[in-house]
Amino acid sequence: MNTSSTQMTAVTIPEFGEAETLRVATLPIPDPGPGQVAIDVVYAGANFAEVLYRRGVVDVPLPFVPGIEVAGRIRAIGKGVEGLTVGQPVAALTIVDSGGYAEVVVTSAHLVAPLDDSGLAMDVAAALPSNSTTALLVLHRVARLAPGESVLVHAAAGGVGSQLGQVARLLGAGRVVGTVGGEAKVETAKRFGYDEVILRDRVADAGQFDVVVDMVGGPTRRASLDRLAPMGRLVVMGNASDAEDVGVPANELWFTNKTVSGFNLAAFSADFPRETGRALRRAVTAAASGDLRVQVETLPLEQAAEAHRRIESGATTGKLVLQVGAL
């Protein structure tokens, strides 16, 4: 890693393309502005969102440093920030401006959760900001899950899916069912709060649900709508299948008393940073108490391309994190 007092090591996207386009570069260390903190990164989460940046699906300026979540220690504090101190261990969302695949990242102080007495390991803490915060916001804020209601989650063995099943339990759901793409992932998903885990192509036999969360898209989106009970809510939060968009007829929603909502963590964090931060801190508390469990595998920052390849292959379970700095 870079040892200069003004320069840092980062992984960048110099051009859109395959995983091999990711490059290790030396960049100036950023300073926090008003309301921001700079963080010395120890671990950065690896997510499908960063794959989308690399592919050019999301319009970002090049060269671009991906990385939507980190764990580390506060390096510097911007004007007007209160309640945080230099050297404090934290987990943070860096999703608004990205930049987590670097030795130092800057983010809003509202999107930071202290780790002081949590007992959480840094690699586990780095796996919480995106997926666990998303699960809490999707089920509580968007779906407005009520105690006893039933929940169906697609891609149940993945990073977000592994958290959605547990958060559904935390919020008092009744029946919680997950779907996966292959038999190899069934047992893994069962460890994350699901009553049942079924293959996605058999979802038509799963019954009806009050809430369905779909991050797969394509035919799964249509099947998700069909699984909704009257007054059911479908939350759309991804298109991992890279399929063409699926139209939902408004008249069908009218006649069947169903609702479709969308959730995008980056946009939500930009529009509602305080609420996002509260959800992040709740996620940290739940993980510290054992109510949320994260399965983590680490790779060095220099192997970010390998992390992307594994995410794109659909073979990952739980969460990949990249080690950036020293513990």
Side-chain angles (χ1 to χ4, degrees):
M1 293 297 178
N2 203 290
T3 58
S4 167
S5 61
T6 60
Q7 300 287 303
M8 66 176 184
T9 298
V11 166
T12 68
I13 302 171
E15 60 184 4
F16 299 126
E18 299 303 313
E20 291 71 24
T21 62
L22 294 174
R23 290 286 182 272
V24 177
T26 299
L27 300 174
I29 291 176
D31 295 317
Q36 295 182 322
V37 297
I39 298 169
D40 285 319
V41 179
V42 178
Y43 288 98
N47 299 275
F48 191 71
E50 292 131 14
V51 171
L52 297 181
Y53 294 148
R54 196 205 70 229
R55 290 177 179 172
V57 175
V58 181
D59 186 20
V60 297
L62 299 179
F64 185 75
V65 181
I68 67 173
E69 61 181 343
V70 302
R73 297 177 182 85
I74 293 180
R75 176 187 182 92
I77 294 175
K79 184 178 180 180
V81 174
E82 298 179 352
L84 298 171
T85 59
V86 172
Q88 187 174 25
V90 295
L93 269 169
T94 54
I95 193 168
V96 176
D97 296 311
S98 203
Y101 287 17
E103 290 182 299
V104 181
V105 68
V106 166
T107 193
S108 166
H110 295 309
L111 300 177
V112 171
L115 299 174
D116 304 79
D117 300 315
S118 68
L120 291 173
M122 279 282 186
D123 57 345
V124 173
L128 294 171
S130 174
N131 293 339
S132 305
T133 302
T134 291
L136 282 162
L137 289 170
V138 162
L139 291 177
H140 177 68
R141 178 71 154 83
V142 183
R144 301 190 183 278
L145 179 67
E149 287 192 314
S150 55
V151 178
L152 174 68
V153 176
H154 295 296
V160 183
S162 69
Q163 298 301 287
L164 282 161
Q166 296 178 81
V167 168
R169 286 279 176 237
L170 192 62
L171 297 179
R175 183 182 179 220
V176 183
V177 177
T179 77
V180 293
E183 290 281 1
K185 293 187 176 182
V186 171
E187 291 306 315
T188 297
K190 283 182 178 178
R191 297 197 291 267
F192 293 112
Y194 293 99
D195 296 309
E196 308 165 53
V197 178
I198 60 176
L199 295 182
R200 198 168 301 127
D201 58 9
R202 298 176 188 171
V203 71
D205 300 324
Q208 291 187 314
F209 296 86
D210 299 300
V211 173
V212 179
V213 183
D214 174 29
M215 60 211 83
V216 177
T220 300
R221 190 142 299 159
R222 178 66 250 181
S224 298
L225 191 63
D226 292 340
R227 291 303 92 222
L228 287 181
M231 297 306 294
R233 290 90 70 198
L234 168 61
V235 183
V236 173
M237 51 164 292
N239 186 33
S241 66
D242 200 26
E244 291 294 324
D245 196 11
V246 176
V248 178
N251 281 351
E252 179 181 347
L253 302 179
W254 165 34
F255 283 118
T256 58
N257 291 312
K258 296 177 181 179
T259 299
V260 177
S261 300
F263 180 80
N264 180 284
L265 182 62
F268 193 93
S269 298
D271 292 336
F272 308 102
R274 291 178 185 271
E275 184 174 356
T276 305
R278 287 194 294 270
L280 169 57
R281 290 186 286 277
R282 184 178 181 184
V284 167
T285 299
S289 69
D291 288 331
L292 282 182
R293 200 167 49 81
V294 184
Q295 178 179 305
V296 174
E297 181 181 352
T298 64
L299 293 171
L301 177 64
E302 293 82 0
Q303 291 186 25
E306 173 62 17
H308 278 218
R309 282 189 287 268
R310 288 168 62 176
I311 291 170
E312 288 178 285
S313 73
T316 57
T317 57
K319 188 63 177 279
L320 287 173
V321 299
L322 303 171
Q323 183 164 4
V324 181
L327 290 171

